[in-house]
Amino acid sequence: MNQESRVCQNCKQSFTIDVSDFDFYTQIKVPPPTWCPECRARRRMMYRNERALYKNICKLCRKDTIAMYPFGTSYNVYCFDCWTSDKWDPLTFGQDYDFSRPFFQQFGEFLKKVPRPSVEGSQNLNCPYTNYTWQSKNVYMSSSILYSDNAAYIKGGEKCIDTFDCFQVTDLTMCYECVNCERLNNSRFLINSRDCINSSFLFDCVNCSNCFMSSNQRNQSYMIENVKYSEAEYREKLKEYRLDEYGGMEEAKKKFSALTKNALHKFARITNAVNATGDNLYNAKDVKECFDLHDLQNVSYTIRGWNIKDSMDIHGTDDTQWDYESVNNGLYSSHLVFTANCHTNCLDIRYSDYCRSSSYLFGCISVKKGQYCIFNKQYSKDEYEKLVAKIINQMKEIPYIDRKGRTYKYGEFFPPEICPFAYNETVAQEYFPVAKEKSIEEGFGWKNPDAKNYQITLAPENIPEKISEVNDSILEQIIGCSHKGQCNHQCLTAFRLTAAELQFYKKAEIPIPRLCMNCRHCERLSKRNPTKLWYRQCMCDYSSHKNSVKHQHHPDGKCPNEFETSYATDRPEIVYCESCYNSEVA
């Protein structure tokens, strides 16, 4: 088929379906989408709640548990141990399909009937307030975590040891407030940097040690504001910035913001890639509009994951192929279409949620080691294939129509109306933030904050300036957040410190923060680029920018190279193509 322009059912904006997209839809036997890529991403992300956790009670063992669902929810929530146990059989919840009603109406009711886990994660020790966390210990208020120890307030962390308040980081030890970084030690406030030690406030630096307030540096040491010093001079000058005081730290953050804007910015962080567009990609081939991924081939419109092949429109996925319009899938699985939370050796599953080690399922929930099931009811192979074909035809003839008038036939992901979460509880709000009114208008739902029944005992302005002046009595205090709920960060208005957190601040000589964890998290999110691309021309121009050398591909004037970048056209940063950037920085 030829490339086509269509109008999104949700946002009413035009979008393009190109030839390669049509080829993919033909191979997996699904109709083309009726929502644009961005709206499809938002719809999928609504099915991933990472950080909104509540106190609840397991409906099987009746023990207290931490869950993605608040107490009193209409969903049948089991603690993770009960949900993974043999104490219950998912097939006992099986039911016949009703051909007189739309599929999604029945599935929305089924979602509330079948048990679902309180949180995602396993093989953890002392990690009760975490979600999507595996093989870790002593992790607190974090999500999407692997192989970590003594870590807190992290999203997207792997091998994080004694590390707090970071976003999308790998292999960090004794680090704080780092974003998009790898292999750091004893460092804080680093962005887009790797292989650095004993450093702070660095942007786009590699293999640096004992550096401060610098950008675009490679293999350097004892630098302050991009100026080289002797070791003695460095240590003496660093004292002038008063980084052990809250006021000094805040001044450094303001200076760092200006430094980052004035640094050179490569159009995208893409390494070892062929024919790839997006950002934060590593080992990629034939990739279109993808973000925060590594080791992938023939993948489009996907955010966060690794080891993915021949897939499109997925989020939070690893070790999978032929995956489409799905979220939170993977672990050696294939042909998962319109699914959520299905992983560990799954094959050919459609319109299902929370299934494990199963194959040939349609409309199932929490099935484990099952085969040829529809709405958790067992069938023979022949019965299954005939009934699935009949249901697909019925989905086309009797579509589900939501309150906004949007039509859901076979080929659409789950409607937001039947999602277990409100928009602002999920990662959709992190990647595509909207105001409450807009979310409700779109039919995506919104959860208002719970009523506060605590009394603030320590105002943020009364916290000692230096961490050395803070004693353990602060652990008993309820600290007010400086934002006081007057922000768009879902401010908690107050917070308490944990003993591990205070110990970390003292050891790292970091002043006590004045913002709650939600406000700090949102401030980190603002330091990463959006998952969206713009066409731009390289900004390298000898008449306006001072370069260190002449660039071979354009000895005079302005660089002619064009590219797709996550830097919007109205952004103030200096954005270079790879050739110009490498001539100046690499």
Side-chain angles (χ1 to χ4, degrees), residues 253-535:
K253 287 164 71 173
K254 292 177 184 177
K255 186 183 285 286
F256 184 52
S257 179
L259 174 91
T260 301
K261 286 184 174 64
N262 293 324
L264 290 181
H265 292 246
K266 184 180 176 183
F267 79 102
R269 297 183 77 214
I270 299 178
T271 306
N272 293 344
V274 177
N275 188 30
T277 63
D279 204 3
N280 291 321
L281 303 176
Y282 180 75
N283 283 350
K285 182 180 180 182
D286 298 327
V287 169
K288 179 172 60 178
E289 295 187 36
C290 288
F291 303 85
D292 307 331
L293 296 150
H294 62 83
D295 300 306
L296 62 159
Q297 181 176 348
N298 192 27
V299 178
S300 303
Y301 314 122
T302 293
I303 301 172
R304 186 152 177 77
W306 58 89
N307 293 340
I308 304 170
K309 186 178 180 181
D310 299 320
S311 297
M312 184 183 293
D313 283 291
I314 55 180
H315 178 84
T317 297
D318 63 276
D319 293 306
T320 188
Q321 59 183 341
W322 297 110
D323 206 356
Y324 174 62
E325 271 282 30
S326 299
V327 59
N328 311 332
N329 289 340
L331 288 179
Y332 322 115
S333 298
S334 178
H335 292 82
L336 307 182
V337 181
F338 316 119
T339 56
N341 308 298
C342 295
H343 61 71
T344 312
N345 298 307
C346 285
L347 173 65
D348 202 340
I349 297 177
R350 282 172 282 177
Y351 288 115
S352 298
D353 190 17
Y354 278 114
C355 295
R356 301 285 191 269
S357 303
S358 298
S359 57
Y360 307 106
L361 306 179
F362 195 102
C364 290
I365 300 170
S366 296
V367 170
K368 290 166 277 188
K369 299 181 180 179
Q371 193 175 44
Y372 301 117
C373 296
I374 299 172
F375 275 73
N376 289 29
K377 185 176 179 180
Q378 185 71 62
Y379 294 90
S380 69
K381 180 177 182 295
D382 185 57
E383 290 172 327
Y384 171 85
E385 291 175 348
K386 289 179 179 178
L387 187 53
V388 166
K390 188 176 178 182
I391 292 173
I392 290 174
N393 286 332
Q394 186 257 7
M395 291 175 71
K396 298 173 183 177
E397 295 169 356
I398 309 178
Y400 178 83
I401 301 174
D402 70 12
R403 291 187 293 269
K404 299 294 293 182
R406 294 169 298 207
T407 301
Y408 298 83
K409 298 182 178 182
Y410 178 78
E412 299 290 342
F413 189 69
F414 306 118
E417 279 186 356
I418 68 170
C419 181
F421 311 113
Y423 190 88
N424 60 321
E425 291 182 294
T426 69
V427 296
Q429 178 68 359
E430 297 184 358
Y431 285 91
F432 304 101
V434 296
K436 174 182 176 180
E437 295 74 16
K438 178 66 173 175
S439 179
I440 294 174
E441 177 189 334
E442 291 186 292
F444 289 170
W446 192 268
K447 187 178 188 306
N448 292 320
D450 296 331
K452 306 295 190 296
N453 57 1
Y454 51 75
Q455 185 70 38
I456 292 172
T457 60
L458 179 61
E461 61 269 21
N462 293 331
I463 300 174
E465 276 280 301
K466 293 186 176 183
I467 186 63
S468 59
E469 299 169 349
V470 176
N471 58 46
D472 288 355
S473 65
I474 199 171
L475 297 175
E476 305 301 320
Q477 304 286 350
I478 298 176
I479 304 171
C481 176
S482 289
H483 286 177
K484 300 179 180 179
Q486 300 173 356
C487 61
N488 295 319
H489 298 162
Q490 300 185 65
C491 178
L492 299 173
T493 71
F495 62 99
R496 300 185 74 161
L497 299 179
T498 67
E501 187 178 359
L502 179 60
Q503 184 180 23
F504 173 81
Y505 293 144
K506 285 181 173 293
K507 185 176 180 181
E509 296 183 340
I510 293 172
I512 299 295
R514 270 62 168 175
L515 298 179
C516 70
M517 68 174 187
N518 278 2
C519 291
R520 302 199 306 266
H521 175 68
C522 287
E523 288 201 344
R524 283 192 293 279
L525 292 180
S526 69
K527 294 178 174 61
R528 57 117 167 103
N529 282 7
T531 52
K532 189 173 181 178
L533 297 176
W534 288 263
Y535 282 98

Side-chain angles (χ1 to χ4, degrees), residues 160-333:
C160 294
I161 312 299
D162 300 325
T163 292
F164 287 63
D165 287 88
C166 291
F167 173 80
Q168 206 145 294
V169 291
T170 302
D171 201 0
L172 268 60
T173 301
M174 203 64 190
C175 292
Y176 179 70
E177 286 286 4
C178 295
V179 175
N180 286 348
C181 291
E182 303 89 34
R183 298 180 298 279
L184 306 180
N185 188 284
N186 192 31
S187 296
R188 61 215 61 167
F189 295 101
L190 269 62
I191 300 176
N192 294 357
S193 298
R194 65 180 189 272
D195 301 302
C196 296
I197 62 174
N198 303 330
S199 297
S200 56
F201 295 100
L202 301 185
F203 173 77
D204 184 33
C205 290
V206 177
N207 196 30
C208 293
S209 64
N210 298 288
C211 289
F212 170 75
M213 199 62 69
S214 296
S215 61
N216 302 133
Q217 298 298 329
R218 300 292 186 270
N219 310 312
Q220 294 292 341
S221 60
Y222 304 114
M223 297 197 76
I224 296 179
E225 298 190 39
N226 292 330
V227 176
K228 180 80 170 179
Y229 292 88
S230 68
E231 179 179 354
E233 290 172 330
Y234 173 86
R235 299 194 184 284
E236 191 62 31
K237 188 169 181 58
L238 200 59
K239 296 177 183 177
E240 299 175 7
Y241 291 88
R242 301 178 296 112
L243 297 179
D244 61 334
E245 300 178 20
Y246 180 75
M249 185 75 81
E250 289 301 295
E251 286 299 317
K253 287 164 71 173
K254 292 177 184 177
K255 186 183 285 286
F256 184 52
S257 179
L259 174 91
T260 301
K261 286 184 174 64
N262 293 324
L264 290 181
H265 292 246
K266 184 180 176 183
F267 79 102
R269 297 183 77 214
I270 299 178
T271 306
N272 293 344
V274 177
N275 188 30
T277 63
D279 204 3
N280 291 321
L281 303 176
Y282 180 75
N283 283 350
K285 182 180 180 182
D286 298 327
V287 169
K288 179 172 60 178
E289 295 187 36
C290 288
F291 303 85
D292 307 331
L293 296 150
H294 62 83
D295 300 306
L296 62 159
Q297 181 176 348
N298 192 27
V299 178
S300 303
Y301 314 122
T302 293
I303 301 172
R304 186 152 177 77
W306 58 89
N307 293 340
I308 304 170
K309 186 178 180 181
D310 299 320
S311 297
M312 184 183 293
D313 283 291
I314 55 180
H315 178 84
T317 297
D318 63 276
D319 293 306
T320 188
Q321 59 183 341
W322 297 110
D323 206 356
Y324 174 62
E325 271 282 30
S326 299
V327 59
N328 311 332
N329 289 340
L331 288 179
Y332 322 115
S333 298

